[in-house]
């Protein structure tokens, strides 16, 4: 199995439109944005509680702390949430019928239970299928996040830290290069 597809900007917009439809659209959109705008793994997203994202005053946090128990490498890390992601989280919260408790899971299934990483992974895969994006998976958002940072000139060390990787070689494997990116690169000269 190859690496997860990294959508183009147009494909990303189509994917967001597909995920945002229906009764669970706000929840689905929030999950997608945590993947794309914070580079979180599906298991990390599934483990989140409202208290991880919202402080005691009801304000969406600028930083999210992931404990070692929920990260792939078993190392706690800080995830920075940009203004766009904070706005997405706030919109999701306002779409709910009641203010969630800090201990409540961020994402709840139709059966009113916490998502498992596997169930969320399958749900995300369905969005890619509906959007007609072959090769897309729950890891596409993470690859998009890392690729966009790399092509924006962000320090490789900073990207490595944001991704929660221990080795730069791991981070480099996530970076996608396509004709559009190579065309833009030579235009810099």
């Amino acid at each position: 199995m190859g690496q997860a597809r990294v959508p183009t900007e147009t494909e990303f917009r189509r994917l967001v439109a597909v995920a945002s439809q229906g009764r669970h659209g706000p929840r689905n959109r929030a999950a997608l944005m945590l993947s794309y705008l914070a580079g979180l793994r599906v298991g990390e997203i599934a483990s989140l509680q409202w208290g991880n994202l919202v402080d005691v005053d009801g304000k969406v946090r600028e930083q999210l702390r992931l404990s070692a128990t929920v990260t792939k490498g078993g190392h706690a890390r800080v995830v920075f949430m940009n203004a766009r992601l904070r706005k997405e989280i706030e919109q999701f919260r306002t779409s709910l019928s009641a203010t969630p408790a800090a201990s409540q899971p961020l994402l709840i299934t139709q059966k009113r239970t916490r998502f498992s990483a596997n169930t969320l992974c399958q749900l995300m895969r369905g969005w890619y299928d509906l959007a007609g994006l072959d090769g897309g998976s729950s890891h596409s958002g993470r690859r998009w996040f890392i690729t966009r940072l790399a092509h924006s000139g962000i320090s490789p060390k900073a990207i490595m830290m944001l991704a929660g990787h221990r080795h730069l070689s791991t981070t480099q494997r996530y970076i996608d290069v396509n004709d559009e990116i190579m065309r833009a690169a030579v235009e810099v000269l």
Side-chain angles (χ1 to χ4, degrees):
M1 186 170 152
Q3 287 190 317
R5 176 188 186 151
V6 177
T8 65
E9 190 64 35
T10 301
E11 291 171 334
F12 172 65
R13 284 193 298 273
R14 185 168 68 230
L15 178 64
V16 171
V18 165
S20 299
Q21 294 175 358
R23 188 173 113 207
H24 300 291
R27 175 203 68 192
N28 295 348
R29 183 180 174 108
L32 193 64
M33 292 304 181
L34 284 161
S35 176
Y36 276 80
L37 300 179
L40 295 180
R41 295 175 180 94
V42 71
E44 295 166 343
I45 296 168
S47 74
L48 292 174
Q49 296 178 331
W50 278 101
N52 298 125
L53 298 170
V54 179
D55 65 21
V56 294
D57 297 324
K59 184 178 176 194
V60 177
R61 299 177 190 274
E62 292 183 9
Q63 296 178 12
L64 161 63
R65 298 191 184 281
L66 294 176
S67 69
T69 59
V70 302
T71 63
K72 183 178 177 184
H75 303 283
R77 79 175 197 270
V78 174
V79 175
F80 292 86
M81 299 198 307
N82 65 24
R84 182 177 174 192
L85 179 56
R86 292 192 309 270
K87 182 178 177 184
E88 292 281 351
I89 297 302
E90 185 57 42
Q91 287 175 341
F92 173 43
R93 185 172 59 164
T94 59
S95 76
L96 301 174
S97 57
T99 302
S103 61
Q104 184 177 337
L106 178 71
L107 305 176
I108 297 176
T109 68
Q110 292 181 60
K111 295 179 181 178
R112 312 291 306 152
T113 61
R114 173 187 297 275
F115 269 92
S116 70
N118 186 47
T119 302
L120 186 56
C121 183
Q122 290 175 27
L123 180 63
M124 287 183 166
R125 178 60 190 248
W127 302 334
Y128 287 94
D129 291 345
L130 287 171
L133 302 176
D134 292 335
S137 76
S138 61
H139 224 58
S140 292
R142 187 165 166 75
R143 289 198 66 222
W144 186 89
F145 172 80
I146 292 169
T147 296
R148 294 287 295 246
L149 292 174
H151 293 293
S152 296
I154 304 302
S155 156
K157 179 79 172 176
I159 298 170
M160 182 184 84
M161 300 297 289
L162 289 168
H165 291 150
R166 289 296 206 210
H167 304 284
L168 190 55
S169 60
T170 303
T171 305
Q172 289 174 323
R173 288 194 302 264
Y174 279 73
I175 300 169
D176 186 54
V177 178
N178 58 35
D179 289 349
E180 180 183 321
I181 291 166
M182 290 188 292
R183 198 173 294 111
V186 297
E187 290 300 324
V188 170
L189 302 175

